[in-house]
DNA sequence: TTGAAAGCGTTACCAT
DNA sequence: ATGGTAACGCTTTCAA
């Protein structure tokens, strides 16, 4: 049974006023007498009236809905292995909770999902879009902007800086990590990075080079941000540079892999080899030894993205943000 | 500038047919001549026409949208510390990607968010709802069902079994964990649980008691599923029962805390005390020693919830599911 | 197989 | 301060 919900017309009838008046009351508009307002409110309560959002959207052209689109593979480890994704959402939600905006979630998993996503974007049922740019360049970015809805980015993409974005200070964080290793007197520092075409890899590598200052030429091994990648990279590095005494891994997952490879190779951490990670995932304190790593304010990234979008929706002109990262000293370096 | 998007009327005009015909073509309906169909399709392409979803919803009363509502605190650790939440979403998304349904995300953070959530539920813009019941009983459950939209649950709630749900076999998993400890000849097994009013706590405790078989009376310490809670509980337990030789923690986080307390107390794991966790979080393999724990198929829970909802939407009568859990043997027990 | 017209429930405008 | 009326863009009868 498709129960018919009460319409504003019925509310108006019960309250003994016109639709126009009832509508004004429901939307908290001025120019309604106290008496009429009370009557309408009473009728609303009695009937259990809830406005039909579709009808409202049709005429107001607003949808009270924004989307978070994640333009990565469905299997991207940052989606499931890391709490990254969830943290961003929690941050977003905290801000949206103070508004009347609902959150739509779009993971660009397969081709069909992407098509649908695009269609939804263009069908104009979204007031704004937050784009979490996981991989390098993604055509989705362009398309999101073409949809005409205000768009803010989480992270920057390879091809140029978006108009509105929130990013973590990846470069500065990496610099601090490597500087810490240098201050300790480490002589032979190697770096394990993410995929080459990745903006995050790029930024963290820049920071690393900033610290190294171009003295000796740096040893860089590209991997994939994953534990297994870090493990393999570490093995190769140990083989190629047996004299290494410090490793900066661009992610905690890779640092965990490096730790494992080091343990198997009989190197002591941090005595023989110092290890620094990046991300400060919740489990970083549980590794053996506890991991020194760079913390990035993931939740804040989410809330700042949302705040920025809300500002945009309100006609404001927010400025892009680079959030600070900080080195968390534990025992691995 | 509020660009006006093309309407079906314009498409019809350009194609030289009526609105009715154009509409039928767009919705892949029969009774349209091949010629007319081609003309309309061409016009659609030329104009870049995308149907207005709000207008469509208004008349069809369907919204191609389902919601995942998480009825917990915004700070629930399972939202951010654990990948639980993200995994469920990835699972849901994988199924939804094969349909035309969009996903709306609602975290019942504060009062305002809950009110909004309810309003959205009742405003009938949702075709279906998935309810992830993190904490014990939640009034939201009732309200979701009152909204009239098909509802499926992830996990069961304290007050009775919902009509449609997907759950992990918490009881069976806990039983397996404790049986494993017994088989090893552990004599003095203690349990650290989650909050008392929690259904998951309840189920896992039942499984534990199943294994113990009511021989000696079991030592149970209630905590909160968190690392810090596990740490404190372990300390208390060591104090009260210095002779304990095994602990079953109802979450990996608590197991990590127990590990820490044990280390500080100078007990060796697993030699002096065996430790088993629950969840098999990604970092469980990184603890020292690597954690033996119970794996639950979180992603599958998500996809099964989605599958169930899709079935319901299609008029089907799916049956509720209890997904298997399995013991993952590592080195802590 | 097609076209015309009647809503869907709301807001917005214009008189009053 | 209020009521009537015209959109909003679509789907869906009903006739032709």
């Amino acid at each position: 049974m498709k129960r018919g919900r009460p319409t504003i017309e019925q509310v108006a009838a019960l309250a003994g006023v016109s639709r126009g008046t009832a509508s004004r009351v429901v939307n908290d508009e001025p120019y309604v007498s106290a008496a009429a307002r009370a009557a309408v409110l009473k009728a609303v309560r009695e009937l259990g009236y809830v406005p039909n959002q579709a009808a409202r959207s049709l005429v107001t052209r607003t949808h009270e809905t924004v989307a978070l689109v994640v333009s990565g593979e469905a299997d991207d480890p940052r989606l499931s292995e890391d709490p990254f994704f969830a943290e961003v959402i929690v941050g977003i939600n905290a801000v949206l909770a103070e508004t009347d905006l609902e959150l739509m979630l779009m993971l660009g998993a397969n081709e069909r999902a992407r098509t649908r996503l695009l269609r939804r974007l263009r069908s104009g049922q979204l007031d704004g879009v937050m784009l979490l740019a996981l991989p390098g360049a993604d055509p989705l970015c362009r398309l999101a902007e073409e949809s005409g809805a205000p768009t803010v980015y989480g992270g920057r993409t390879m091809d140029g800086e978006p108009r509105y974005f929130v990013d973590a200070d990846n470069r500065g964080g990496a610099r601090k990590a490597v500087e810490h290793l240098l201050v300790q007197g480490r002589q032979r520092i190697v770096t394990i990075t993410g995929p080459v075409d990745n903006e995050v890899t790029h930024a963290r590598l820049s920071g690393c080079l900033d610290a190294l200052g171009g003295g000796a030429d740096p040893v860089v091994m590209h991997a994939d941000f994953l534990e297994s990648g870090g493990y393999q990279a570490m093995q190769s590095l140990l083989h190629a540079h047996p004299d290494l005494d410090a490793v900066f891994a661009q992610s905690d997952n890779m640092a965990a892999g490096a730790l494992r490879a080091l343990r198997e190779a009989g190197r002591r951490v941090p005595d023989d080899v110092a290890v620094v990670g990046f991300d400060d995932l919740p489990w970083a304190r549980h590794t053996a030894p506890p991991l020194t790593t760079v913390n990035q304010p993931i939740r804040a990234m989410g809330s700042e993205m949302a705040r920025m979008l809300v500002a945009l929706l309100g006609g404001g002109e927010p400025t892009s943000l680079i959030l600070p990262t900080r080195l968390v000293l534990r025992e691995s370096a």
Side-chain angles (χ1 to χ4, degrees), chain A:
Chain A
M1 132 235 171
K2 284 257 173 282
R3 84 226 173 288
R5 292 195 301 98
T7 72
I8 195 149
E9 174 121 46
Q10 295 171 31
V11 170
L14 181 56
V17 300
S18 75
R19 272 213 306 268
T21 301
S23 171
R24 282 186 276 263
V25 170
V26 168
N27 295 340
D28 258 329
E29 280 168 24
Y31 296 113
V32 179
S33 70
R37 187 173 295 268
V40 170
L41 253 26
K42 179 157 168 285
V44 163
R45 220 159 352 187
E46 264 167 37
L47 262 34
Y49 168 77
V50 181
N52 178 318
Q53 181 65 37
R56 178 176 284 184
S57 292
L58 187 56
V59 39
T60 62
R61 288 153 184 292
T62 74
H63 308 81
E64 317 260 292
T65 302
V66 298
L68 171 66
V69 357
V70 181
S71 63
E73 299 303 314
D75 283 341
D76 193 296
R78 290 173 85 189
L79 257 50
S80 45
E81 268 191 39
D82 285 17
F84 181 88
F85 179 51
E87 277 281 328
V88 169
I89 291 183
V90 169
I92 289 174
N93 191 256
V95 172
L96 258 32
E98 305 299 327
T99 71
D100 284 321
L101 295 168
E102 215 58 58
L103 181 64
M104 195 149 255
L105 196 59
M106 306 173 144
L107 311 192
N110 56 20
E111 206 34 61
R112 176 162 184 179
R114 292 173 84 87
T115 310
R116 227 182 55 204
L117 194 163
L118 230 69
R119 186 192 153 113
R120 291 302 256 249
L121 279 179
R122 304 197 37 215
S123 89
Q125 72 184 293
L126 260 18
D127 294 332
V129 177
M130 289 169 284
L131 203 47
L132 209 52
L134 294 189
D138 194 305
L140 222 49
C141 307
R142 291 263 157 56
L143 297 164
E145 290 189 335
E146 267 175 32
S147 88
T151 305
V152 329
Y153 288 75
R156 283 163 284 184
T157 49
M158 289 297 274
D159 42 271
E161 204 157 85
R163 179 73 188 80
Y164 302 105
F165 71 86
V166 179
D167 202 357
D169 183 13
N170 284 305
R171 182 167 183 167
R175 186 176 44 68
K176 276 175 264 186
V178 175
E179 275 170 358
H180 172 70
L181 292 171
L182 288 169
V183 166
Q184 288 195 325
R186 302 288 172 171
Q187 302 289 326
R188 195 73 178 144
I189 302 174
V190 303
T191 299
I192 305 178
T193 77
V196 222
D197 62 343
N198 189 299
E199 166 61 21
V200 173
T201 297
H202 208 73
R204 293 182 186 171
L205 187 54
S206 301
C208 175
L209 299 180
D210 288 348
L212 256 22
D217 50 29
V219 179
V220 176
M221 182 109 219
H222 287 292
D224 56 4
F225 285 134
L226 302 184
E227 204 267 351
S228 53
Y231 176 76
Q232 284 162 27
M234 192 71 248
Q235 285 186 322
S236 307
L237 286 166
L238 281 170
H239 188 74
H241 307 274
D243 59 331
L244 63 85
D245 63 358
V247 35
F248 167 50
Q250 286 192 349
S251 79
D252 283 354
N253 277 318
M254 294 194 298
L259 245 25
R260 181 156 62 93
L262 254 11
R263 196 181 313 129
E264 288 180 8
R267 308 287 183 112
R268 290 167 309 162
V269 176
D271 312 84
D272 301 332
V273 181
V275 176
V276 182
F278 205 118
D279 288 341
D280 193 23
L281 299 187
W283 51 262
R285 67 186 69 235
H286 301 318
T287 55
L291 190 64
T292 290
T293 185
V294 180
N295 176 280
Q296 51 177 341
I298 302 177
R299 189 179 297 203
M301 279 190 60
S303 43
E304 291 304 335
M305 282 172 72
R307 224 186 295 283
M308 198 169 277
L309 188 55
V310 170
L312 240 22
L313 259 27
E317 271 287 320
T319 62
S320 292
L321 244 41
I322 296 184
L323 301 176
T325 47
R326 77 192 150 74
L327 185 65
V328 179
L329 296 176
R330 297 211 178 89
E331 297 166 32
S332 70

